[in-house]
C-alpha cells in the first residue's frame, strides 16, 4: 500500500459509501469479451451472482458484449450511476475518472497499478486522481486494488472469480490494503463454512481507506466480526475511536499488521525512543482499544473463526478433555508459554468431575480420559457436563485423537450428541491431535452447525483462544486519568537531568535528594547538606548516556573523595568529548541498591502517548524486557502487564529475595501517563534506572531525561 496523499478532512457519509458497496447501477469501463481480461471477469462475476441492477458496458471498439449494448465512452453514461469499475490500463485512468465525474458517477474502483508505487510519474498521477475526486466529491477505491465483493446483495465488483453464493447470516467483514490477502482470507473462511458480508480491498488508498470501510462495517447489521489487514493506518485517532464504537456495538475487530519496522521513528536521545518502534506503539494502542492483533494469516483466520462461531468469546480459564497423557503435558507447556490459564482441577476441588469418571482416572486439567472413552463413549457427555458446570472454567477444549474412520465413528457421534443435549452456554472448541486424519466431513459440519469451531491442530486452537482471552478491558477500579501539566515553559530539545528532575519532582516522581552545582565548593556544601555518600553526575543536554562518557562517579564517602571524584569526572568528560562545556554537576544522595527498572514514555505524533516499562539499567536495550502501556490503566492492570515480563519471577521473591514494590512502580507509570497526556510537546521521557525496593519501601528514579519537540 502506497498512499502519499489523502483527501483532507473528508469522512464519507454512510449513504455515499452505500452507493459504492451496495450499488443499484454499475458501469464497467474497459468491458471486454476476451476470456481472462479484467473487464470480462467483472461482468462474468456480476452475471453469475444474478446482479439485478443496471449494468453499463463501455468499450469504444464494441457495440455489444454478451448481448449487452456497449457505449463508446464514459461521457455517454446516464447521469448518476452508482459505481464505475475501471478495468483499463493506468494511462487512461485519469481521463476516464474526469469523464465519470462529469456524469455525476458516485464512486469509482481503480484496479490499475503503477500509481504512487510506480515512481514519480505514477505519484503525480495519483495526486491528480485525488484532486479530481476532491473537486467532485467522488469516492475512489484504490488504485492498485482488487475491488470489492458484497455477499449480502450479491455484488462482486472484482476480477477475481467469485462463487454465486450469497450471505445467509450475520458474518465476517474483511477490509484489506492487500487485495491478494483479501482473496486468500475469503477462500480460507469459505473452507471453514464461515460467511463473509463484505470483502473490500483498499489498495493505495488515494481517497478512501481502511478507516472509512471499518466505520461502515461497524454499523452494518450483516457484519458481526471484522478482519483487517493493514500495513499503515492513515488516521490512527479515527481507528481508536472506531474501535471504541465497535466495543459498544459488541463487534470484534481482528487485525493483521505486517511490517515490524526496523527503521522505526526513534530518537537516539533516550532508551525509550530506541525501544518503542512504530509497530510496538501501534500494537499497544490498538490492543488497549480492544482490537485483537493476530501474529500471522493463519492466526487471523483462526481468531475470526472462534469469534464468529462460538456462543461467547473464550475468556478466563480453559478446561481441556483429551485422550493422551503426552498431549496433556505438551499443552501444559504451551499454555504456560502463551499465557492461557488452565485452572488446576483435582479430585478434591472438582467433586462432580470425580463422580462421573472411573476410579483409575485422576482428575486433572488437561483431563486424560485414556482409551476409556472408546469403551464408554458416554464418558464424553459426563465429563463435558461436569466441566461446563465448573465456574472456574470459561471454555472447554476437546483435544481428541481421530486417527481413522473407525475411531471417528465412535468418538464424534458421542461428542456431537453430548453437545446437542447440553447446549453449552460456554465456548467449546474441538482440536484434533492428528492433522491429516481422514475425518468424515459430515462430523465437522455437524460440530460447526452447533457453534463449535473445529481445528485440525490444538496449537492453533489454543493460540487463538489466548488472543481472545487477552482482550483489553478495565478491572472496574477507578483511576485518575486527568492530564497533568508541568506549569513551566519547556524549551525545545533535550532537557538535561537536573532540569528534568526539577520539572518531574513536584508531579510526584520520586528522586534521591540532590543539588545542582557549578563548582567544587558548592558541591562540598551540597554533599554536607545531603549527607554522604554521594554521587556526582555531569550535566549537559549532549550527554544523554552519561555512564558511557564516564560522567557518573559513585560512592563518594567524604570531602576528600568528593574532590577526587570531581577531578576524575571532568577528566573523563574531556577525554570523551573534547571541548564540551558542562552546564554543571548534579550532587545526589547515593541510593541503596535495588532492582533496576526503566520507565519511559513517547508521544507518538500519530498514536499519542504510550508508556514503556520493564527491566532497565545499562542492558535495557540489549535484553529488551519491557511492556508498552497506554495511559489510563489502573494499578492492578499495570501490575498484570509487568507480570508478563520475561524476568517477572524477579518481581515476586526469586530464590529467597523479597517481593518488589510494584504498587510504587505502578504509581510512577500512572503519573508519567498523565503528564504525557497533558504535555503533548514532550516527545519522549526517560527514567532509567528506576530502582525498585522490597514491597512497602517504594522506588526511586535515579536518572531523568526529557525530549521536547513541538509540532511545526
Amino acid at each position: 500500500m502506497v498512499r502519499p496523499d489523502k483527501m483532507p478532512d473528508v469522512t464519507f457519509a454512510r449513504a455515499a459509501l452505500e452507493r459504492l458497496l451496495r450499488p443499484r447501477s454499475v458501469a464497467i469501463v474497459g468491458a471486454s469479451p476476451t476470456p481472462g481480461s479484467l473487464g470480462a471477469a467483472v461482468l462474468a462475476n456480476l452475471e453469475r451472482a444474478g446482479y439485478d441492477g443496471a449494468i453499463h458496458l463501455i468499450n469504444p471498439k464494441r457495440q455489444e458484449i454478451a448481448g449487452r449494448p456497449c457505449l463508446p465512452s464514459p461521457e455517454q453514461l446516464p447521469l448518476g450511476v452508482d459505481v464505475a469499475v475501471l478495468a483499463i490500463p493506468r494511462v487512461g485512468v485519469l481521463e476516464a475518472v474526469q469523464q465519470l465525474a462529469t456524469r455525476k458517477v458516485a464512486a469509482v474502483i481503480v484496479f490499475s497499478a503503477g500509481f504512487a508505487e510506480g515512481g514519480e510519474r505514477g505519484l503525480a498521477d495519483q495526486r491528480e486522481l485525488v484532486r479530481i475526486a476532491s473537486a467532485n466529491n467522488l469516492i475512489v477505491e484504490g488504485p492498485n486494488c482488487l475491488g470489492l465483493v458484497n455477499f449480502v446483495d450479491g455484488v462482486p465488483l472484482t476480477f477475481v472469480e467469485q462463487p454465486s453464493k450469497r450471505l445467509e447470516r450475520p458474518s465476517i467483514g474483511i477490509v484489506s490494503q492487500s487485495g491478494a490477502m483479501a482473496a486468500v482470507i475469503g477462500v480460507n473462511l469459505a473452507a471453514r463454512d464461515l460467511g463473509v458480508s463484505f470483502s473490500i480491498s483498499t489498495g493505495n488508498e488515494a481517497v478512501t481507506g481502511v478507516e472509512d470501510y471499518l466505520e461502515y462495517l461497524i454499523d452494518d447489521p450483516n457484519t458481526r466480526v471484522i478482519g483487517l489487514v493493514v500495513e499503515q493506518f492513515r488516521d490512527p485517532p479515527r481507528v481508536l475511536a472506531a474501535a471504541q464504537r465497535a466495543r459498544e456495538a459488541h463487534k470484534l475487530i481482528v487485525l493483521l499488521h505486517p511490517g515490524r519496522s526496523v527503521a522505526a521513528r526513534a530518537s537516539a536521545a533516550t532508551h525509550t525512543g530506541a525501544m518503542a518502534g512504530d509497530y510496538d506503539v501501534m500494537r499497544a494502542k490498538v490492543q488497549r482499544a480492544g482490537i485483537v492483533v493476530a501474529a500471522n494469516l493463519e492466526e487471523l483466520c483462526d481468531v475470526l473463526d472462534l469469534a464468529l462461531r462460538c456462543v461467547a468469546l473464550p475468556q478466563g480459564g480453559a478446561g481441556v478433555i483429551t485422550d493422551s497423557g503426552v498431549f496433556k503435558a505438551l499443552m501444559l507447556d504451551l499454555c504456560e508459554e502463551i499465557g492461557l490459564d488452565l485452572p488446576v482441577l483435582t479430585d478434591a476441588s472438582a467433586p462432580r468431575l470425580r463422580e462421573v469418571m472411573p476410579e483409575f482416572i485422576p482428575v486433572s486439567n488437561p483431563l486424560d480420559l485414556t482409551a476409556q472413552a472408546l469403551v464408554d463413549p458416554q464418558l464424553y457427555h459426563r465429563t463435558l457436563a461436569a466441566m461446563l458446570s465448573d465456574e472456574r472454567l470459561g471454555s472447554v477444549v476437546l483435544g481428541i485423537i481421530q486417527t481413522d474412520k473407525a475411531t471417528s465413528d465412535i468418538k464424534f457421534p458421542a461428542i456431537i450428541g453430548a453437545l446437542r443435549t447440553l447446549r453449552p452456554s460456554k465456548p467449546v472448541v474441538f482440536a484434533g491431535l492428528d492433522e491429516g486424519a481422514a475425518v468424515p466431513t459430515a462430523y465437522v459440519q455437524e460440530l460447526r452447525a452447533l457453534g463449535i469451531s473445529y481445528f485440525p491442530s490444538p496449537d492453533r486452537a489454543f493460540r487463538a483462544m489466548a488472543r481472545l482471552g487477552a482482550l483489553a478491558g478495565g478491572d472496574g477500579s477507578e483511576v485518575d486519568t486527568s492530564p497533568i501539566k508541568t506549569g513551566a515553559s519547556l524549551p525545545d530539545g533535550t532537557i538535561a537531568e537536573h532540569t528534568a528532575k526539577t520539572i518531574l519532582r513536584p508531579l510526584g516522581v520520586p528522586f534521591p535528594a540532590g543539588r545542582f552545582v557549578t563548582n567544587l565548593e558548592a558541591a562540598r556544601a551540597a554533599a554536607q547538606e545531603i549527607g554522604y555518600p554521594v554521587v556526582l553526575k555531569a550535566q549537559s543536554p549532549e550527554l544523554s548516556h552519561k555512564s558511557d562518557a564516564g560522567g557518573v562517579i559513585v560512592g563518594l564517602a567524604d570531602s576528600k573523595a568528593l574532590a577526587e571524584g570531581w577531578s576524575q569526572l571532568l577528566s573523563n568528560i574531556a577525554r570523551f568529548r573534547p571541548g564540551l562545556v558542562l552546564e554543571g554537576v548534579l550532587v545526589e544522595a547515593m541510593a541503596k541498591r535495588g532492582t533496576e527498572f526503566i520507565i519511559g514514555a513517547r508521544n507518538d505524533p500519530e498514536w499519542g502517548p504510550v508508556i514503556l516499562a520493564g527491566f532497565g539499567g545499562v542492558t535495557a536495550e540489549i535484553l529488551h524486557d519491557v511492556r508498552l502501556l497506554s495511559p489510563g490503566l489502573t494499578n492492578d492492570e499495570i501490575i498484570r502487564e509487568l507480570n508478563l515480563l520475561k524476568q517477572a519471577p524477579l518481581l515476586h521473591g526469586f530464590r529467597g529475595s523479597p517481593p518488589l514494590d510494584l504498587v510504587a512502580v505502578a504509581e510512577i507509570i500512572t503519573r508519567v501517563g498523565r503528564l504525557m497526556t497533558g504535555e503533548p510537546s514532550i516527545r519522549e521521557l526517560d527514567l532509567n534506572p528506576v530502582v525498585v525496593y522490597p514491597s512497602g519501601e517504594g522506588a526511586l528514579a535515579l536518572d531523568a531525561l526529557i525530549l521536547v519537540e513541538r509540532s511545526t
Side-chain angles (χ1 to χ4, degrees), residues 326-574:
V326 172
F327 172 77
K328 169 182 172 179
L330 288 171
M331 290 307 100
L332 286 169
D333 290 343
L334 173 66
C335 291
E336 180 177 306
E337 173 193 333
I338 63 178
L340 182 63
D341 181 30
L342 298 182
V344 176
L345 303 180
T346 65
D347 286 2
S349 68
R352 183 170 178 184
L353 197 53
R354 174 67 279 165
E355 180 184 343
V356 300
M357 292 195 310
E359 291 184 4
F360 65 86
I361 298 179
V363 172
S364 62
N365 187 24
L367 175 64
D368 175 18
L369 298 182
T370 70
Q372 183 63 22
L374 287 173
V375 179
D376 177 13
Q378 287 304 305
L379 187 56
Y380 289 121
H381 187 290
R382 300 196 299 273
T383 53
L384 262 171
M387 279 201 173
L388 289 169
S389 68
D390 194 319
E391 293 183 357
R392 293 167 294 179
L393 304 179
S395 59
V396 177
V397 181
L398 292 156
I400 304 299
I401 295 172
Q402 49 186 21
T403 48
D404 52 68
K405 186 177 184 301
T407 300
S408 294
D409 286 344
I410 295 173
K411 296 180 177 181
F412 277 90
I415 292 170
I416 291 168
L419 292 168
R420 188 173 284 121
T421 301
L422 293 169
R423 299 170 61 94
S425 58
K426 297 177 181 179
V428 177
V429 178
F430 190 104
L433 270 62
D434 34 13
E435 187 169 1
V439 178
T441 304
Y443 293 146
V444 176
Q445 291 174 337
E446 285 188 76
L447 286 171
R448 288 172 171 166
L450 291 169
I452 311 300
S453 290
Y454 174 89
F455 289 89
S457 158
D459 280 36
R460 286 172 52 186
F462 282 117
R463 290 182 189 278
M465 291 174 68
R467 290 289 182 207
L468 289 170
L471 275 175
D475 61 10
S477 304
E478 292 294 325
V479 57
D480 185 359
T481 60
S482 58
I484 298 176
K485 289 192 172 291
T486 63
S489 178
L490 301 177
D492 280 345
T494 301
I495 298 176
E497 176 187 6
H498 69 98
T499 305
K501 287 182 173 178
T502 301
I503 293 169
L504 297 173
R505 194 188 303 272
L507 306 181
V509 178
F511 298 108
R515 301 287 183 273
F516 174 69
V517 300
T518 56
N519 58 62
L520 178 56
E521 287 307 310
R524 284 187 171 128
Q528 191 66 35
E529 180 183 351
I530 293 168
Y532 289 100
V534 296
V535 180
L536 297 180
K537 298 181 178 181
Q539 297 297 296
S540 169
E542 298 180 44
L543 289 176
S544 54
H545 300 299
K546 294 181 287 293
S547 59
D548 295 344
V552 180
I553 308 293
V554 302
L556 304 176
D558 52 34
S559 180
K560 179 182 177 183
L562 179 68
E564 292 172 351
W566 184 275
S567 177
Q568 183 65 55
L569 181 79
L570 298 182
S571 176
N572 291 346
I573 297 300

Side-chain angles (χ1 to χ4, degrees), residues 271-325:
H271 284 285
T272 306
M275 296 170 71
D278 291 348
Y279 177 89
D280 300 317
V281 172
M282 176 282 303
R283 183 177 186 127
K285 300 298 278 192
V286 301
Q287 285 183 324
R288 177 60 184 167
I291 295 175
V292 178
V293 181
N296 50 50
L297 183 62
E298 183 180 77
E299 188 170 276
L300 172 71
C301 295
D302 290 344
V303 175
L304 290 173
D305 187 330
L306 284 176
L308 183 66
R309 204 183 298 278
C310 287
V311 65
L313 292 183
Q315 294 192 35
V320 183
I321 298 173
T322 185
D323 35 27
S324 166

